[in-house]
Amino acid sequence: MSGPSPTLDLVGIGIGPANLSLAALLADRGGLRKVFLERKKSFEWHSGIMVPNARMQVHFLKDLVTPVDPTSPYTFLSFAVEEKRLYRLLVSGRTHIPRREFEQYCRWAADRIDDLRFGVAVDTVEFDGDAFLLRSSHSTMRARNIVIATGLQPWLPPCAAGHAPDRVLHAANLLDVPRNLAGRRVAVVGGGQSGAEVVLHLLRAGEQRPSRLLWGTRRGNLFPLDDSPFVEEHYLPNYSRYFHAQPPERRALLNEQQRMSSDGVSAGLLREIYQQLYDLELVEGVARPCDVMVGHQLLGIDQQRHDLLTTWRSADGELVRRHVDVVICATGYRHGLPPVLRGLRDRMPDELPPVRADFSLEWDGPADNLIFVQNAARRDFGVADPNLSLLAWRSATIANSLLGEKRFDTGQVSGAVDWVHADDQLMTGTHGD
Ligand SMILES: Cc1cc2nc3c(=O)[nH]c(=O)nc-3n(C[C@H](O)[C@H](O)[C@H](O)COP(=O)(O)OP(=O)(O)OC[C@H]3O[C@@H](n4cnc5c(N)ncnc54)[C@H](O)[C@@H]3O)c2cc1C
């Protein structure tokens, strides 16, 4: 193991879309000595659940850079032009491209941006009094500032723990290994976008379609993603800043109220599933191709001799039991302190310290050593934080803070709702209904 290298101005940990966006904004600009590290060998985006035909949930112009730096060489439009597909894209009339295409675009950008190192997993981050030490299996790096963008951890319900991973798995790992589910009884848990994508994927598997499919969600129905125009304003910089200025209890309430603008299922996907069920059952004569169990919470999974006994509680308290062979949990992701920061935990006031307006964490360390987080601040910035809509704006905010100047315009944009004004009225009690 080699000794510490010279101190860099910035090390980014994780190269998903978030840090790729920051790397793209800082590329070719000089000024900072920096490197971004990724444990995977090359750029990949949620490859374990990259089911065919999955579409993006945001417009393709909400790419790595366009909303803050439209003349950057790393825009989606530059990619489309260079790949000679822009005209066809326009003819297709699509605004929401396939997820595979977004991954191709990110890979294209990653191939062109310097300062990215793949195949380096950072194990721990420590602080030596002057700089951060980032330890990986092959080296220790020193950095004045760090940007953590290691993504969210898949979350499994407690009853799903301890089973063989080929029998009970998280949807994030569905495609990690080849799986033949033909003739098997499969339960999909979770009524959000991932659960819906997995269900459609299985219904369309042809010869490999499971013999029985059960889709359970504790939600009262399979609710659509609310991306109607005024709700979409929650995904504007103005709203994020407004949200950040609210007291913690109000932010928690708003996040709960706005859940379906982030955790619902794309309406087009729900329609595709509905039509697929119609075709299979009523046209092709397949008996009940999927048991849709809304209002059912998974309580237990018991390994029996050859199969798994799943127990669900319905909304009216009734216990329902179903035998299956495989359980796929599309049960979301855990928001919290990124695991790589565990080594600094005793320098932080809370389990997840407050995140400042420039996306740096409050921590007990020198003011000029900053720890930025990307996609770890839903509590502080609202439902837009894990979404790609404000990816470029958040990176630009971090870049400005690192550069110590307003290199990118991250101020108010035009919006139909005046969030700051609404807040002022709330404070003074002058608002009506
Ligand atoms: C299946 C899926 C589809 C989504 N689709 C959309 C969408 O259409 N629109 C939208 O707005 N949002 C979408 N999201 C939400 C969000 O945009 C994505 O989760 C996005 O990938 C977040 O980017 P990220 O860079 O923060 O994290 P990630 O993409 O998860 O990247 C984190 C990276 O960090 C690496 N890493 C982790 N730990 C270490 C370490 N210790 N050392 C080095 N590297 C490390 C990981 O290998 C990974 O490559 C989707 C989320 C999922 C799960």
Side-chain angles (χ1 to χ4, degrees), residues 14 16-18 38-40 45-46 57 122 149-150 333 375 386-388:
E38 166 60 47
R39 64 183 171 197
K40 292 186 196 134
W45 190 48
H46 298 309
Q57 289 185 296
V122 176
T150 47
Y333 295 81
N375 192 5
N387 186 275
L388 296 174

Side-chain angles (χ1 to χ4, degrees), residues 12-20 37-40 42-46 49-50 55-58 99 102 120-124 148-153 172 193-194 197 235 333 339-340 374-376 384-389 391 394:
I13 308 177
I15 306 176
N19 263 350
L20 189 57
L37 307 173
E38 166 60 47
R39 64 183 171 197
K40 292 186 196 134
S42 60
F43 186 89
E44 277 178 23
W45 190 48
H46 298 309
I49 189 179
M50 188 61 87
R55 296 272 181 86
M56 295 296 290
Q57 289 185 296
V58 292
R99 273 226 304 274
F102 183 76
V120 183
V122 176
D123 299 324
T124 59
I148 316 292
T150 47
L152 303 178
Q153 309 296 311
Q193 181 75 9
S194 291
E197 287 179 1
Y235 295 78
Y333 295 81
V340 78
Q374 303 227 57
N375 192 5
D385 192 62
N387 186 275
L388 296 174
S389 291
L391 189 77
R394 183 177 58 201

Side-chain angles (χ1 to χ4, degrees), residues 327-406:
V327 178
I328 301 171
C329 297
T331 40
Y333 295 81
R334 189 197 308 275
H335 296 252
L337 190 73
V340 78
L341 285 177
R342 276 190 304 259
L344 296 175
R345 180 67 191 83
D346 57 355
R347 285 176 165 269
M348 301 196 169
D350 299 306
E351 179 62 32
L352 181 58
V355 183
R356 303 183 190 112
D358 67 350
F359 292 92
S360 63
L361 284 182
E362 281 183 18
W363 78 295
D364 171 22
D368 49 359
N369 293 111
L370 295 172
I371 304 169
F372 295 94
V373 288
Q374 303 227 57
N375 192 5
R378 183 176 174 141
R379 182 198 61 193
D380 307 70
F381 283 91
V383 288
D385 192 62
N387 186 275
L388 296 174
S389 291
L390 292 179
L391 189 77
W393 172 77
R394 183 177 58 201
S395 296
T397 306
I398 295 173
N400 283 348
S401 180
L402 281 164
L403 294 166
E405 60 176 285
K406 209 173 164 208

Side-chain angles (χ1 to χ4, degrees), residues 209-259:
R209 190 158 46 77
S211 59
R212 285 210 72 169
L213 184 57
L214 183 165
W215 186 11
T217 172
R218 65 181 171 193
R219 292 182 187 171
N221 205 335
L222 296 164
F223 292 112
L225 183 87
D226 184 352
D227 56 359
S228 54
F230 291 90
V231 169
E232 274 276 295
E233 288 237 344
H234 295 152
Y235 295 78
L236 261 54
N238 307 0
Y239 185 77
S240 252
R241 216 172 279 110
Y242 160 78
F243 185 97
H244 186 257
Q246 301 304 304
E249 318 74 60
R250 180 154 156 76
R251 290 195 310 234
L253 184 72
L254 291 170
N255 263 341
E256 201 44 49
Q257 285 171 352
Q258 294 163 11
R259 184 176 279 274

Side-chain angles (χ1 to χ4, degrees), residues 95-379:
T95 53
H96 292 59
I97 56 171
R99 273 226 304 274
R100 281 186 173 166
E101 189 174 22
F102 183 76
E103 185 185 42
Q104 288 168 4
Y105 154 63
C106 289
R107 207 172 281 146
W108 168 90
D111 286 345
R112 283 157 183 75
I113 296 171
D114 291 335
D115 306 324
L116 307 185
R117 306 273 178 278
F118 288 88
V120 183
V122 176
D123 299 324
T124 59
V125 178
E126 292 153 28
F127 189 70
D128 70 5
D130 281 321
F132 297 102
L133 297 177
L134 295 91
R135 299 193 193 280
S136 69
S137 51
H138 10 350
S139 66
T140 299
M141 285 189 173
R142 243 175 144 253
R144 281 200 311 110
N145 305 290
I146 52 177
V147 184
I148 316 292
T150 47
L152 303 178
Q153 309 296 311
W155 183 84
L156 281 172
C159 65
H163 295 277
D166 60 331
R167 304 293 299 276
V168 180
L169 56 134
H170 194 277
N173 305 115
L174 178 65
L175 305 179
D176 284 349
V177 293
R179 282 176 218 280
N180 185 354
L181 297 174
R184 312 198 75 191
R185 297 160 300 172
V186 177
V188 177
V189 189
Q193 181 75 9
S194 291
E197 287 179 1
V198 171
V199 165
L200 186 60
H201 175 60
L202 296 177
L203 288 172
R204 285 187 173 160
E207 301 280 285
Q208 299 211 346
R209 190 158 46 77
S211 59
R212 285 210 72 169
L213 184 57
L214 183 165
W215 186 11
T217 172
R218 65 181 171 193
R219 292 182 187 171
N221 205 335
L222 296 164
F223 292 112
L225 183 87
D226 184 352
D227 56 359
S228 54
F230 291 90
V231 169
E232 274 276 295
E233 288 237 344
H234 295 152
Y235 295 78
L236 261 54
N238 307 0
Y239 185 77
S240 252
R241 216 172 279 110
Y242 160 78
F243 185 97
H244 186 257
Q246 301 304 304
E249 318 74 60
R250 180 154 156 76
R251 290 195 310 234
L253 184 72
L254 291 170
N255 263 341
E256 201 44 49
Q257 285 171 352
Q258 294 163 11
R259 184 176 279 274
M260 279 306 135
S261 76
S262 141
D263 298 356
V265 185
S266 301
L269 176 58
L270 287 175
R271 191 165 300 281
E272 281 184 87
I273 294 171
Y274 199 88
Q275 290 171 350
Q276 183 71 18
L277 290 174
Y278 182 103
D279 292 352
L280 284 170
E281 188 165 346
L282 302 178
V283 181
E284 293 181 31
V286 176
R288 214 64 185 154
C290 180
D291 287 328
V292 181
M293 293 176 29
V294 298
H296 283 73
Q297 179 176 8
L298 180 70
L299 291 185
I301 305 174
D302 294 310
Q303 173 75 53
Q304 302 214 314
R305 236 154 66 88
H306 296 296
D307 50 12
L308 302 168
L309 178 62
T310 59
T311 304
W312 309 72
R313 186 172 49 221
S314 74
D316 50 21
E318 189 194 342
L319 291 184
V320 176
R321 295 199 164 80
R322 292 279 189 277
H323 289 271
V324 297
D325 300 301
V326 175
V327 178
I328 301 171
C329 297
T331 40
Y333 295 81
R334 189 197 308 275
H335 296 252
L337 190 73
V340 78
L341 285 177
R342 276 190 304 259
L344 296 175
R345 180 67 191 83
D346 57 355
R347 285 176 165 269
M348 301 196 169
D350 299 306
E351 179 62 32
L352 181 58
V355 183
R356 303 183 190 112
D358 67 350
F359 292 92
S360 63
L361 284 182
E362 281 183 18
W363 78 295
D364 171 22
D368 49 359
N369 293 111
L370 295 172
I371 304 169
F372 295 94
V373 288
Q374 303 227 57
N375 192 5
R378 183 176 174 141
R379 182 198 61 193

